[in-house]
Amino acid sequence: MSAPADLEPVEAFRARARAWLADHMPRIEGQLPDRLADGRREVERELQRRLWDGGFAGICWPAEYGGLGLTLEHQRAFTEESLPYDMPFSLNVPTFGILAATLIDFGTHEQKARHLPAILKGEELWVQFLSEPSGGSDLAGVLTRADRDGDVFVLNGSKIWSSGAAESDYAMCLARTNWDVPKHRGLTMFIVKIHQPGIQVEQIRQVDGSMEFCQEFFDDVPIPASDVVGEVDDGWTVATRLLVHERNAVGGGSPYTSGRSAGHESSGQDVGLAEMARVAGRVGDPVARQLVAEAHIRGLVGGQLVKRITQGVTLGKMAPPAGSLLKLFSATSVMRRYEIGLELAGEAGVTWPADTETPGRRLGELTLWRQGLSLGGGSNEIQRNIISERLLGMPRELAADRDVPYREVRRSGSRGD
């Protein structure tokens, strides 16, 4: 797909980006920066501000709200040129690829004008307030409630598994606003300022010692009606689109992200696997060589899958739920990559000298996260359901609570009466 005639040619844009990156962005030396390291979020805010000041922020975002209004080909060119440099990786998901993308689709002009430029400058980081302690995979079954009181809604309840909430500024929060209709029809999506009276954010210590995940508690938090995203009681429409953006972003197919993402793993991680084989003295081992080749092939296939599905959805030849194909392939492929890494590393991937950075240590720490890749954005089982029902046209699963007013649905926890 070629750019319109009045846009800067892609190759000219690429050359300009190459020169600017070399002059303004720090090169990566060795391993990729640890996105969970202390102070990393502030570093990424500053890096994003550099991109804004240099005129390379929001390449595919609407020009009306601070973006460049260019094509996906321009974004791909910039991403390819940026791979050797330190970039604001963590801002891609969820701030850019999921929440800003959803705001572009459903936000009012005032909401977009207030938030999108601030996001592109690195001034606002956003997270999702979707999952709940009792919810599991049933996102529509939320119990957090928002009761209308004149020009505000009053928020009460709890959300969980919110990545980076303690260091973020705003969230999109799905809450129940109507208990007398079936569960999908009584939800509303809100913009919520995180650090304000009535909101308590608690960090959750994970198995590797990091504390990225958070749980939030809401106690009579007022939300202006002007911060409703989409329509009142139609939050499921917004949430459905948000999840499409999430699967595209996690799968590496979002036009709103910039720089290295899940769709560009092969360039860095294959080198790491080859190095792991060298450290383990297995360069001549045919089994080790086959494992490195498998990882490389998966990376190539993933890159082509991203291009095919992104183009298909953009041209209207594939339905938006096709993003589930990207999410499923990415989750299964990355999990397999870690398995290969452990097989190559041997004991170096499970034990290492204290206070020493080694390739095996980094691999071992990342491996602790591997199962989460099959859960975030919807489990692998959920993705297979979406593919079967919405892409292949197979019958939907039975649901006992479909078409039942939500206050009459039998469930654990509060009934919302």
Side-chain angles (χ1 to χ4, degrees), residues 239-369:
T240 300
R241 183 71 61 83
L242 183 153
L243 293 173
V244 168
H245 284 305
E246 179 169 18
R247 289 154 191 155
N248 285 337
V250 173
S254 172
Y256 300 105
T257 61
S258 187
R260 187 185 302 273
S261 66
H264 304 95
E265 295 159 11
S266 59
S267 60
Q269 295 195 28
D270 284 348
V271 174
L273 293 179
E275 178 63 23
M276 197 69 67
R278 292 190 188 96
V279 171
R282 300 184 62 185
V283 172
D285 182 343
V287 174
R289 294 169 70 90
Q290 185 64 38
L291 290 172
V292 173
E294 178 189 339
H296 180 68
I297 291 168
R298 284 178 175 271
L300 293 176
V301 171
Q304 293 303 310
L305 184 65
V306 167
K307 291 180 180 178
R308 179 178 179 183
I309 291 179
T310 302
Q311 185 176 51
V313 172
T314 301
L315 297 176
K317 295 181 178 180
M318 301 180 76
S324 288
L325 293 167
L326 295 179
K327 171 64 174 63
L328 181 61
F329 182 88
S330 176
T332 55
S333 185
V334 173
M335 287 184 69
R336 176 58 182 155
R337 187 184 300 275
Y338 289 145
E339 292 171 357
I340 289 172
L342 288 179
E343 187 168 345
L344 292 171
E347 65 180 23
V350 293
T351 61
W352 46 79
D355 301 323
T356 301
E357 288 295 330
T358 66
R361 174 176 183 162
R362 183 63 177 151
L363 172 67
E365 292 172 341
L366 288 172
T367 300
L368 296 174
W369 283 82

Side-chain angles (χ1 to χ4, degrees), residues 54-69:
F56 290 99
I59 292 170
C60 291
W61 295 38
E64 181 182 5
Y65 301 109
L68 303 185

Side-chain angles (χ1 to χ4, degrees), residues 65-129:
Y65 301 109
L68 303 185
L70 298 176
T71 70
L72 187 55
E73 283 73 20
H74 290 83
Q75 178 60 71
R76 285 176 179 156
F78 182 84
T79 292
E80 290 168 4
E81 296 299 329
S82 74
L83 292 178
Y85 299 94
D86 192 3
M87 296 279 288
F89 306 114
S90 297
L91 274 64
N92 276 331
V93 178
T95 300
F96 294 164
I98 303 175
L99 299 165
T102 303
L103 194 63
I104 288 171
D105 287 346
F106 289 98
T108 64
H109 169 72
E110 291 75 18
Q111 289 170 345
K112 289 187 278 193
R114 175 161 44 114
H115 293 292
L116 292 179
I119 290 172
L120 286 176
K121 294 175 186 177
E123 295 172 355
E124 292 182 7
L125 301 185
W126 285 49
V127 297
Q128 300 155 243
F129 286 172

Side-chain angles (χ1 to χ4, degrees), residues 216-228:
E216 300 78 35
F217 300 90
F218 313 116
D219 184 11
D220 289 338
V221 180
I223 305 175
S226 59
D227 281 340
V228 169

